Amino acid sequence: MDTDNARSTAATPLGATNRRSFVGGVGAATGLGSVFERLASHHGGAGNDGSGNGGAGNGGPPPSGATYHVYRSNGKYRVASAGKGGVEFTTAADGNAEEAFQYAFDQVPEEGGTVVADTDEFRFGGPAVMGDGTLLTGGSGTRFVASATGSRIGFTERELDVGHDLIRVRGDDAAVTGIEFDANDTRLDNHAVQAEGCDGLLLADNRTVNGFQMALSFADCENVVVRGNEVIDPNWYGITSRGARDGLDLRRSTDALIQGNRVTDVTFNNIAPYNVANFSVVGNVCYRGGHSLIACSPSQQGTIVGNVCRDLELEPIAADPGGEAGLEIEYKETHLSDEVAGTDNETSFDITVANNHVENCGVGFISRTVPVDESDEDEYRRTKRPYSFTVTGNAINDCDTGVLVRSGADGVVATNTLRANDTQIDVRESPFAENVQTDLNVTRGA
């Protein structure tokens, strides 16, 4: 932060009127008690050693007494801590909210702390970066708004506004909760929240609107919880382990829970845990996408359970062989990082797909292999296919194909209910699909 743009007001405590503007508006309306209760519940009240001290790797920081409030007063941003005055930024509050939040993040002590954003609109000119043990939280009416940094031709061959990340998480045991992120119609090179290299991350009860290339993103992270968020109209991906920049993209993550989110109006995948091991995608609602709504490409040892996937109605861009699906597991050569290429983890395996409702999609569930060079397709469908998957208890309705296994091995497709699909189950013949058992599925014409 440019210290020339801020001055200490510690010698002059904030007046009662200003205090009410953020204590009344943030303390009560934000519901810090409920935030802390969620975090305490998430931590289980104790560390792994049973000491009650919390600990790393549990998806966010425990509550801390170090609290910093970011708010606006008299046209300027201020950062105050526990009634001891604070810092007033001498430049006008106009597209520079990242300065105030960066200052607050930098004040968080080693043992952790909380940064509370007032129930107000904050306009950013660039990203702010969170470190270890930091909880960033807002309340009803807290909005972070991005700005355009230029424009360029995107993947769709249209000129789109380029933006910037709003919040970057670069520390362990961090959390972002209760904030609406507005991309301001910027759709390239940006995220609402982007986490990298974190052990213990919680993204909960946020809302993203009006763009972002990828809304909520994590890369090279472990112990991740993405829960209860609403993601509307991102450009490429909604909730994903991909990144909008090459240095972030497709870096492997582990131990991720994506639960209870609503994601809609996405050009590619609504939820995309790519290169993730030990994961669970549970109880999400995904609709209106351009590519498969929930896609593992590749991921291993996880579950996709109890989700609602419907209305895959946006025009697909370069649709993959077999069409797009409500639920997808695959090997796709363009999704491989150097870390996993040529290893067992280059394809999807040991995934359970159960008790989902899929409706009005090109394909209900698909297992497939997609090489870069079409001339490799036959060989790769034999040698790099998803395997050891279970598809059971799903209801799949009104699709062109209910279940399609273009390539796969050692799978089970059983006890699903398929209604009014043009083709109910299509398992391709050997050598592309081998040892795929189909039993006790119920099919109905309507």
Side-chain angles (χ1 to χ4, degrees), residues 15 48 110 117 134 139 151 156 175 223 226 247 259 286 288 301 323 332 366 370 374 380 395 420:
N48 294 332
E110 185 175 342
T134 303
S151 64
T156 58
N223 300 305
V226 184
Q259 179 182 20
C286 299
R288 289 200 300 271
Q301 298 160 322
K332 191 170 187 178
I366 191 169
V370 185
E374 290 183 4
Y380 279 35

Side-chain angles (χ1 to χ4, degrees), residues 356 358 364-365 394-399 401-403 417-419 421:
N356 302 283
V358 182
F365 165 84
N394 302 283
I396 301 175
N397 308 328
D398 296 308
C399 299
T401 303
V403 174
T417 301
L418 301 107
R419 296 185 179 91
N421 304 294

Side-chain angles (χ1 to χ4, degrees), residues 18-217:
N18 286 338
R19 291 290 296 169
R20 276 196 297 270
S21 73
F22 72 89
V23 173
V26 176
T30 302
L32 285 177
S34 63
V35 171
F36 291 159
E37 287 167 9
R38 287 200 305 272
L39 288 170
S41 173
H42 184 67
H43 276 257
N48 294 332
D49 60 359
S51 65
N53 294 324
N58 291 312
S64 168
T67 302
Y68 304 87
H69 302 268
V70 182
Y71 69 107
R72 181 165 45 198
S73 176
N74 298 323
K76 297 176 182 178
Y77 290 125
R78 299 188 78 163
V79 180
S81 175
K84 297 180 180 179
V87 168
E88 179 183 272
F89 290 78
T90 58
T91 54
D94 182 19
N96 61 335
E98 71 278 4
E99 295 179 5
F101 282 96
Q102 192 61 63
Y103 180 86
F105 295 151
D106 291 345
Q107 304 313 302
V108 172
E110 185 175 342
E111 60 269 22
T114 302
V115 175
V116 180
D118 197 1
T119 53
D120 201 344
E121 180 178 285
F122 297 90
R123 291 191 168 267
F124 285 64
V129 183
M130 295 170 53
D132 291 340
T134 303
L135 162 64
L136 169 64
T137 189
S140 177
T142 303
R143 298 181 71 242
F144 287 5
V145 183
S147 57
T149 60
S151 64
R152 66 177 176 85
I153 301 297
F155 186 84
T156 58
E157 299 183 352
R158 295 182 295 123
E159 186 168 326
L160 298 172
D161 283 342
V162 173
H164 55 81
D165 298 345
L166 282 169
I167 297 297
R168 292 176 181 168
V169 185
R170 297 294 186 267
D172 298 339
D173 291 323
V176 180
T177 71
I179 296 171
E180 179 173 281
F181 296 91
D182 188 337
N184 197 20
D185 209 33
T186 58
R187 296 183 175 273
L188 291 175
D189 303 339
N190 59 346
H191 314 78
V193 181
Q194 202 291 313
E196 178 188 4
C198 304
D199 183 354
L201 172 71
L202 173 65
L203 306 179
D205 304 324
N206 302 291
R207 188 171 189 259
T208 79
V209 297
N210 297 331
F212 298 110
Q213 182 169 333
M214 305 179 185
L216 303 177
S217 161

Side-chain angles (χ1 to χ4, degrees), residues 218-222 224 241 251-256 274-277:
F218 56 92
D220 189 28
C221 292
E222 54 186 315
V224 175
S241 52
R251 293 174 58 186
R252 189 164 174 79
S253 295
T254 61
D255 303 299
Y274 287 7
N275 284 305
V276 176

